[in-house]
Amino acid sequence: MSGHAEAWFARRGWQAFAFQREVWSAMAAGESGLLHANTGAGKTYAVAFGAIDRIEAASGRGAPPLSVLWITPMRALAADTLRALQSPLAELVPAATLGLRSGDTPSAERARQDKRWPTVLVTTPESLSLMLTRPNAEGELRSVQTVIVDEWHELIGSKRGVQVQLALARLARWNPGLVTWGLSATIGNLGEAMATLLGGDGGRLVQGRVDKTLVIDTLLPDEPGRFTWGGHLGAQMQPAVVREIEASPGTTLIFTNVRSQAEIWYQLLLAARPDWAGQIALHHGSLDKAVREWVEAGLKAGTLRAVVATSSLDLGVDFLPVERVIQIGSAKGIARLLQRAGRSGHAPGRPSRVTVVPTHTLELVEAAASREAALAGHVEQRRSPDKPLDVLVQHLVTVALGGGFTADALFDEVRRAWAYRGLARDEFDWALAFVERGGVSLTAYPEYHRVRWVEEEQKYRVPDRGIALRHKLQVGTIVGDTAMKVAWLSGGTLGTIEESFIARLSAGDCFVFAGRVLEYVRTREMTAYVRKATKPKGRVAVWNGARMAFSTEMGDAVRTALERAGSGPGGSLVLDSPELKAAGLMLDAQRRLSRLPEPGRLLVERYRSREGHHLFVYPFAGRNVHLGLAGLLAWRLARDEPNTYSLAFNDLGFELLGAKPIATEALEAGHAFATDHLLDDLLASLNARELAQRRFREIARVAGLVFTGYPGASKGARQLQASSSLFYEVFRKYDAGNRLLAQAEQEALSQELELARMGQVLEALAAQRIAWVELRAPSPFALPLMVERLRERLTNEKMADRLARMIAEAEQRLDAPADTRRRGPRSYNPTPT
């Protein structure tokens, strides 16, 4: 690297780190790689100056063509990156230009870029894919010599990451000397992550070890209680959170896991401190762009006292004034907790601090466990999807638009992407036939003949302008429920809400959105019109995003913490952290009514109530795995002894509620945990067709089978669901070999049920002794599972009454003589010892 970077640093009183110099040297030598370093350690400047040096080397001080693509997963991060690059680029290569292209880019700016690309372009995976559809894509993008993929850990495990892989393979074909670097702060499998980014072709792994203080602590509740359930501490923690914000010298960033929770906590803060109106703000992906930009500017300037946000502000956005991060509820994953902690003290040498606010007592244990795992470096691994054919189908049409292709050349190119390294030629040929003729069942419909062999050019091209336009309008893999615009009757927009929520409202209903209480007036042309409500309260807007589940690392950490808590002499408690001490009453109640987890033993509780016969099992594998395990065990037990079951599950375990006594011989013998015929049994135990059909809705949209509509005339959720369901049924009846059907089934098993992880959990369970406990009242572990099930069918008032009775019964048992609290636990070891 030339001395320009060192001089630029020196003018600011900075000194480059060794890892930054290593990256500069590697990039100057034409090497690609992955940079892994702490959040706020200086990753951006490490790759930025390497890229600028390559611009200088290629074009001197002249005005170079498009040379650097900087890919970010979020639009907020894209704008932040643009600001970070402006000063060094302007000083070191004055003739170079800088631009941003994303879904938020104004049409006038797009038109300017269409005439002449900037030297450095910050963009998103979707906008890059759209660039590949341009007729002269090769001519315009052949000059790209450096690609930076920011927050690679955020992209690698999704179809968006596969989009990036395919785009990189295309760019590398046009410029074999392409240099690609990924940036990541939180990922456990660094070697595989780099191979995924680079297509398996070597690379330099640079780890930037910068000493940085990390503080993970917990805001302890005054009355955690002996019994707990999801959300029961939420309102109790409001005053404590307000005090923490008041005491912070800078801005406090408050993270929630879902958007509805962000809306709730924004209202809780305003209710406690109405004078903070205008000093606190709300930020999530459904808010209007202008609102999000105002909040981000306020964070940058340090003019906001606090911001309540979701993952929309998770990633490497540089907000220097943020002194404190508060995490509402468990982060459910070690990497997510570290990522959010890094939003505070986001600069070399400054400490990062995150404070967890439990929403129920068990989250005190989760907080202690996650801190221990984070400080030990136990971070989750992330892997790329394997051969998603819907993304390949979309890519074939993209490339056909962007200059066309031949089958042999594109097959070789696609296999350079890590996700498709194992793609067989017959799989590629099927995808090509599908976009060329619509497969077996759509041959008669011209709109599904999306590419055609053009003899004169000896290439596949898109034959119809309408097909081309529809494809460009829905390039990408982000699929969610249909969003409706929320607008004032008097003019102006607030953001978007899923159609499924608006459909449940009647005129005059009040709801909370964008930090306001709104009155719904009417819907017209996919816009919900509202006015300011006169009522002080309303239902909170909800979105259909999946609830976060324990990662493997998180589940292991929680189980280890509970095992240690119960390991004292004579079964006494070992409370070795502030969080476990605060949870002591709950842990003691669990120990007295049941027992705590022990190494090598699986805790199973049985209980008889007026509802029926309960079986509680605690593998600590996360709610996604427990969903499949609950259905699997219910099916296997009912196969031996017919019974009717209701199921409930959370991150700790699952409940089977039987109409008749539950025959547990298969559990005792270990047969219920067998991995033999796992796939067949799982498909038989669950409504696998419904799960697959739900996944197919997303696949159909990514693959371009279902068109979401033109701007201003979007289709509703019911229309889209009906269209995808029709395709699903047509393929099942007339094209059973359609590979998108197989993909839907595979995704349902691997992503919704985590089949591979389920097999590992079953093997572990089969090797454990079962610690049986006959309950006389619900234990602190069992109660949240019962609440999870009852919430589905009881009103809030009835739920409160039922809870009060269950807790009273359990409290009565706790106060009774020891020998009447439970029937003594017995252990059974299904494997010979």
Side-chain angles (χ1 to χ4, degrees):
M1 173 84 191
S2 66
H4 296 311
E6 300 278 6
W8 191 87
F9 270 55
R11 285 195 293 273
R12 285 153 180 79
W14 301 346
Q15 186 172 0
F17 292 113
F19 80 84
Q20 292 173 321
R21 295 192 181 98
E22 183 180 354
V23 172
W24 297 340
S25 175
M27 293 181 72
E31 292 184 61
S32 297
L34 177 70
L35 171 57
H36 180 261
N38 303 15
T39 297
K43 296 189 295 294
T44 297
Y45 284 143
V47 292
F49 281 99
I52 291 170
D53 186 54
R54 286 174 57 78
I55 295 173
E56 284 189 281
S59 53
R61 292 277 171 170
L66 179 57
S67 178
V68 178
L69 283 174
W70 193 295
I71 304 170
T72 76
M74 294 177 62
R75 286 175 285 191
L77 183 56
D80 193 68
T81 301
L82 193 74
R83 288 188 289 267
L85 296 176
Q86 282 172 340
S87 176
L89 190 66
E91 288 187 36
L92 299 181
V93 191
T97 54
L98 181 63
L100 169 63
R101 194 173 183 103
S102 72
D104 289 338
T105 304
S107 57
E109 175 62 17
R110 289 173 181 271
R112 282 192 293 270
Q113 292 175 358
D114 289 345
K115 294 177 182 177
R116 179 177 175 82
W117 289 112
T119 312
V120 178
L121 183 67
V122 182
T123 189
T124 61
E126 292 74 27
S127 292
L128 176 56
S129 291
L130 278 170
M131 291 166 66
L132 296 179
T133 67
R134 296 164 70 89
N136 189 31
E138 180 177 0
E140 296 177 4
L141 299 177
R142 187 189 293 117
S143 60
V144 174
Q145 56 180 340
T146 308
V147 177
I148 308 300
V149 184
D150 209 347
E151 306 288 352
W152 178 231
H153 61 272
E154 183 70 17
L155 290 168
I156 184 175
S158 69
K159 291 180 182 178
R160 296 183 80 206
V162 176
Q163 267 187 288
V164 173
Q165 294 178 49
L166 289 168
L168 290 174
R170 190 123 190 92
L171 293 172
R173 182 186 170 212
W174 292 335
N175 180 5
L178 184 73
V179 168
T180 301
W181 278 80
L183 304 181
S184 179
T186 49
I187 194 166
N189 50 330
L190 290 172
E192 184 177 349
M194 183 170 70
T196 304
L197 178 70
L198 305 180
D201 297 335
R204 173 86 70 96
L205 177 60
V206 177
Q207 299 199 57
R209 294 181 175 87
V210 177
D211 290 337
K212 187 176 180 68
T213 302
L214 172 64
V215 178
I216 301 173
D217 56 12
T218 305
L219 205 56
L220 303 178
D222 294 330
E223 298 179 9
R226 296 199 284 191
F227 295 91
T228 187
W229 57 93
H232 104 271
L233 289 180
Q236 183 189 142
M237 302 304 296
Q238 176 204 38
V241 172
V242 170
R243 289 194 296 270
E244 292 296 313
I245 297 171
E246 290 171 336
S248 176
T251 302
T252 300
L253 194 51
I254 302 162
F255 280 111
T256 67
N257 288 343
V258 293
R259 285 167 283 188
S260 56
Q261 194 179 32
E263 294 275 358
I264 290 169
W265 270 91
Y266 179 76
Q267 294 296 323
L268 283 172
L269 295 180
L270 272 184
R273 291 294 303 267
D275 56 310
W276 281 357
Q279 300 177 51
I280 64 174
L282 177 67
H283 191 290
H284 58 70
S286 293
L287 298 180
D288 187 68
K289 175 193 171 188
V291 174
R292 287 184 276 116
E293 289 182 341
W294 178 83
V295 175
E296 291 159 19
L299 278 169
K300 282 276 186 185
T303 56
L304 293 172
R305 182 184 292 270
V307 173
V308 186
T310 61
S311 57
S312 58
L313 292 180
D314 254 8
L315 302 183
V317 185
D318 184 7
F319 298 128
L320 290 179
V322 174
E323 291 289 341
R324 286 289 301 279
V325 168
I326 291 176
Q327 166 67 41
I328 302 295
S330 168
K332 300 299 181 184
I334 314 305
R336 187 178 299 109
L337 184 67
L338 290 171
Q339 191 74 34
R340 292 179 172 181
R343 298 306 100 221
S344 67
H346 196 269
R350 291 179 59 190
S352 292
R353 181 184 178 190
V354 60
T355 300
V356 178
V357 178
T359 62
H360 57 82
T361 310
L362 280 164
E363 285 188 335
L364 287 165
V365 181
E366 294 179 35
S370 61
R371 177 178 60 242
E372 187 170 338
L375 296 179
H378 298 160
V379 180
E380 290 85 3
Q381 300 185 2
R382 306 191 189 190
R383 291 185 168 84
S384 170
D386 184 42
K387 297 187 294 188
L389 293 181
D390 55 342
V391 183
L392 177 59
V393 164
Q394 184 183 110
H395 188 65
L396 292 177
V397 182
T398 292
V399 176
L401 279 169
F405 66 88
T406 61
D408 289 346
L410 188 57
F411 173 66
D412 292 340
E413 177 186 312
V414 165
R415 280 171 54 90
R416 292 191 60 180
W418 181 264
Y420 298 99
R421 67 195 185 281
L423 184 73
R425 183 59 191 253
D426 66 305
E427 293 172 312
F428 178 86
D429 290 342
W430 178 89
L432 177 56
F434 189 72
V435 296
E436 184 179 13
R437 300 184 297 275
V440 173
S441 53
L442 300 177
T443 304
Y445 301 93
E447 62 266 37
Y448 299 109
H449 300 182
R450 288 176 281 172
V451 306
R452 183 177 66 199
W453 178 256
V454 179
E455 196 65 37
E456 308 85 71
E457 300 183 46
Q458 291 290 292
K459 288 181 179 179
Y460 284 98
R461 302 296 296 264
V462 173
D464 181 84
R465 295 177 66 181
I467 291 173
L469 176 60
R470 289 193 294 273
H471 178 80
K472 291 179 181 180
L473 285 172
Q474 60 182 51
V475 159
T477 61
I478 301 175
V479 178
D481 198 0
T482 305
M484 295 182 66
K485 188 181 295 183
V486 180
W488 296 111
L489 267 177
S490 55
T493 60
L494 291 161
T496 59
I497 293 183
E498 291 176 356
E499 183 189 6
S500 57
F501 176 78
I502 296 294
R504 295 194 293 269
L505 300 178
S506 301
D509 285 352
C510 296
F511 66 100
V512 177
F513 174 67
R516 299 172 171 88
V517 182
L518 307 171
E519 180 185 333
Y520 172 68
V521 179
R522 64 172 178 264
T523 295
R524 181 174 296 169
E525 295 178 349
M526 293 301 290
T527 299
Y529 289 96
V530 299
R531 57 184 164 220
K532 187 176 180 180
T534 56
K535 299 177 182 177
K537 295 183 179 180
R539 69 176 76 176
V540 177
V542 294
W543 288 261
N544 288 327
R547 293 169 66 177
M548 292 181 179
F550 272 1
S551 65
T552 300
E553 290 76 8
M554 187 72 180
D556 291 345
V558 169
R559 181 181 176 111
T560 299
L562 288 169
E563 289 173 351
R564 190 169 64 247
S567 65
S572 61
L573 294 176
V574 178
L575 307 177
D576 56 3
S577 70
E579 293 87 355
L580 291 182
K581 289 176 182 176
L585 286 175
M586 183 271 294
L587 295 174
D588 183 60
Q590 175 67 29
R591 179 181 63 85
R592 292 163 64 194
L593 285 173
S594 174
R595 65 194 300 164
L596 289 167
E598 302 167 63
R601 292 190 172 188
L602 171 65
L603 176 60
V604 179
E605 299 172 339
R606 292 196 284 206
Y607 175 58
R608 173 71 188 275
S609 74
R610 286 180 294 177
E611 292 184 287
H613 303 264
H614 306 256
L615 188 74
F616 303 99
V617 185
Y618 303 102
F620 295 90
R623 62 182 299 113
N624 292 345
V625 171
H626 293 156
L627 164 62
L629 279 179
L632 178 69
L633 260 66
W635 186 82
R636 286 178 170 176
L637 294 177
R639 181 178 57 187
D640 297 338
E641 183 70 35
N643 204 341
T644 301
Y645 292 105
S646 297
L647 312 179
F649 48 90
N650 59 19
D651 283 312
L652 269 62
F654 58 90
E655 174 199 26
L656 305 185
L657 172 60
K660 300 187 298 184
I662 299 174
T664 58
E665 289 80 5
L667 279 175
E668 294 175 340
H671 303 325
F673 301 133
T675 55
D676 297 339
H677 311 295
L678 173 58
L679 180 58
D680 293 337
D681 287 358
L682 192 60
L683 291 174
S685 67
L686 298 169
N687 190 347
R689 180 175 169 185
E690 170 58 31
L691 289 175
Q693 188 168 358
R694 191 164 63 209
R695 297 301 305 186
F696 185 80
R697 292 171 197 161
E698 300 182 5
I699 290 169
R701 290 166 73 174
V702 172
L705 288 170
V706 176
F707 180 53
T708 54
Y710 295 100
S714 298
K715 295 179 180 179
R718 290 183 180 178
Q719 288 176 283
L720 295 174
Q721 185 171 330
S723 297
S724 63
S725 297
L726 178 60
F727 279 113
Y728 184 79
E729 293 301 332
V730 167
F731 290 161
R732 285 186 70 251
K733 291 180 181 178
Y734 304 109
D735 186 9
N738 191 296
R739 294 177 188 253
L740 295 181
L741 293 178
Q743 181 186 337
E745 183 177 288
Q746 185 271 331
E747 285 188 11
L749 293 170
S750 64
Q751 296 179 30
E752 296 196 34
L753 301 176
E754 299 187 45
L755 180 63
R757 187 173 164 206
M758 189 185 301
Q760 296 168 357
V761 170
L762 284 170
E763 289 177 354
L765 296 180
Q768 294 177 16
R769 292 182 174 184
I770 296 179
W772 295 95
V773 177
E774 303 285 348
L775 297 175
R776 293 180 181 269
S779 72
F781 285 5
L783 185 67
L785 285 165
M786 298 176 74
V787 171
E788 192 86 23
R789 175 174 45 77
L790 292 172
R791 272 180 174 157
E792 298 293 323
R793 56 187 182 87
L794 296 181
T795 64
N796 288 341
E797 293 78 9
K798 290 183 178 179
M799 184 71 242
D801 292 342
R802 179 69 67 86
L803 256 176
R805 289 199 302 271
M806 289 192 295
I807 291 173
E809 179 187 3
E811 295 279 8
Q812 183 180 7
R813 287 295 179 189
L814 278 172
D815 295 334
D819 60 353
T820 65
R821 292 181 199 136
R822 67 182 185 192
R823 296 183 180 91
R826 60 189 176 89
S827 297
Y828 185 86
N829 183 8
T831 52
T833 58

